[in-house]
Amino acid sequence: MPAQLIDGNALSKQIRAEVAHRTAALKARGVQPKLAILLVGDDPASDVYTRHKVKDSTETGLLATLERHPADLPEAALLARIRELNADPAVHGILVQLPLPRHMDASHVIETIAPAKDVDGFHIASAGALMVGRPGFLPCTPYGCMKMLDAIGCDLRGKHAVVIGRSNIVGKPMAMLLLQRHATVTICHSATANLAAITRQADVIVAAVGKRNLLTADMVKPGAVVIDVGMNRNDAGALCGDVDFEGVRQVAGWITPVPGGVGPMTRAMLLVNTLEAAERAQAD
Ligand code: NAP
């Protein structure tokens, strides 16, 4: 029997509806949750992503502003602008769209954002909070993957979860979240020997690499849950993930499609984080 689909479009719609509901409640108390997005340069993909973020916010009642800055903006000017936004009580979330131009140090820029407004969850303080199990902001993609696992009632305790990819924004935080839920976690990367032997032992596989057909049916245990984070293009130019979807769906128990899987969940979790930032600011 082919795998059941984990529908990111449907689940993200539910999450957006909850965000809209909680946002309306905050607004009724006179608080308008606000996200400030900073875009430096004219990267076409970043332009699309930031416009989506504004649209998503507006549709759920959040206020989002998009500030565009030229590619040659000095780093000091960007840092000064972030500090202004840090000090502005009307702004609850600050997002600097990555990648930044080469003359900027992305870590330095991100770490200038006040941790209480780090709705991307990329600040070192957010990473540290996740590592020690303290409240912070979770990076949107792993956060969305966890929501998908929760939605199918996946009990991770004692399960073997294999994360392929070890980036700071996806692979590592994903592994920490699975560990928090008492899974036994293996992290694989480009130097992993015999990836297939490891993935074949997995009850849950999260593929976050950026290589199409990295995970094929022969690498998956029957009934496993497969979450495909990858975003690639196939020969026809269509969006596809890291997983050979048609092959793996014959073996897996659950699988996320691309498109319509992790992508919409990532977008939805930014809204959740922004709303939470506004709610926490009221509670302080
Ligand atoms: P990244 O920073 O490039 O990291 C990729 C990881 O894959 C690295 O850890 C790398 O290992 C590992 N890797 C490369 N080749 C491998 C191989 N043959 N076997 C096993 N591991 C291998 O990428 P990222 O930012 O984490 O993103 C990963 C993918 O997810 C990309 O396709 C990206 O577009 C996509 N993505 C999607 C969403 C979404 O919302 N759907 C959000 C974020 C990212 P090393 O560390 O050893 O180099």
Side-chain angles (χ1 to χ4, degrees):
M1 195 174 65
Q4 297 190 65
L5 276 194
I6 312 178
D7 184 343
N9 283 329
L11 185 56
S12 67
K13 209 171 153 191
Q14 276 176 30
I15 291 170
R16 285 166 189 244
E18 285 161 26
V19 169
H21 184 71
R22 276 163 62 192
T23 301
L26 261 191
K27 283 168 134 175
R29 289 170 31 213
V31 181
Q32 168 62 70
K34 182 173 173 183
L35 170 65
I37 303 171
L38 302 175
L39 174 60
V40 185
D42 42 23
D43 176 63
S46 294
D47 182 63
V48 172
Y49 292 146
T50 50
R51 279 191 285 115
H52 281 161
K53 287 167 188 175
V54 172
K55 181 170 169 282
D56 293 347
S57 301
T58 309
E59 283 172 3
T60 43
L62 306 170
L63 181 63
T65 56
L66 174 56
E67 289 180 22
R68 293 168 185 275
H69 295 279
D72 60 357
L73 180 78
E75 184 178 299
L78 180 62
L79 299 185
R81 181 61 188 135
I82 293 171
R83 290 192 186 102
E84 278 175 12
L85 294 167
N86 284 344
D88 183 347
V91 173
H92 304 101
I94 302 170
L95 185 151
V96 177
Q97 184 65 41
L98 300 178
L100 285 167
R102 281 170 182 273
H103 67 280
M104 291 192 182
D105 175 349
S107 302
H108 191 201
V109 170
I110 296 303
E111 270 132 49
T112 302
I113 297 172
K117 300 188 179 188
D118 173 40
V119 290
D120 247 346
F122 294 169
H123 195 291
I124 200 161
S126 301
L130 173 59
M131 175 73 98
V132 295
R134 296 266 293 277
F137 289 105
L138 300 177
C140 300
T141 300
Y143 194 5
C145 293
M146 293 306 290
K147 289 281 178 196
M148 294 178 120
L149 292 170
D150 288 343
I152 61 166
C154 182
D155 178 7
L156 289 158
R157 178 179 287 270
K159 298 277 167 49
H160 185 190
V162 172
V163 179
I164 319 174
R166 58 173 164 181
S167 71
N168 290 333
I169 60 171
V170 188
K172 283 184 203 161
M174 187 73 231
M176 292 310 303
L177 287 168
L178 293 162
L179 186 63
Q180 269 183 10
R181 298 287 190 86
H182 313 295
T184 301
V185 181
T186 304
I187 306 175
C188 301
H189 45 78
S190 65
T192 296
N194 205 350
L195 179 65
I198 298 168
T199 57
R200 270 198 290 271
Q201 296 171 24
D203 303 299
V204 175
I205 302 173
V206 180
V209 171
K211 288 192 177 148
R212 56 189 272 225
N213 294 333
L214 178 96
L215 191 80
T216 48
D218 57 311
M219 298 168 74
V220 177
K221 180 165 86 173
V225 179
V226 177
I227 308 278
D228 190 354
V229 178
M231 284 198 314
N232 311 295
R233 296 276 162 194
N234 66 18
D235 291 338
L239 191 62
C240 67
D242 289 346
V243 175
D244 168 21
F245 181 80
E246 287 309 326
V248 171
R249 74 184 304 197
Q250 304 306 325
V251 183
W254 293 89
I255 191 167
T256 64
V258 179
V262 175
M265 293 301 293
T266 297
R267 286 171 65 172
M269 300 326 289
L270 175 64
L271 306 175
V272 172
N273 277 350
T274 303
L275 173 64
E276 281 182 6
E279 288 176 343
R280 288 181 203 174
Q282 302 319 299
D284 285 346

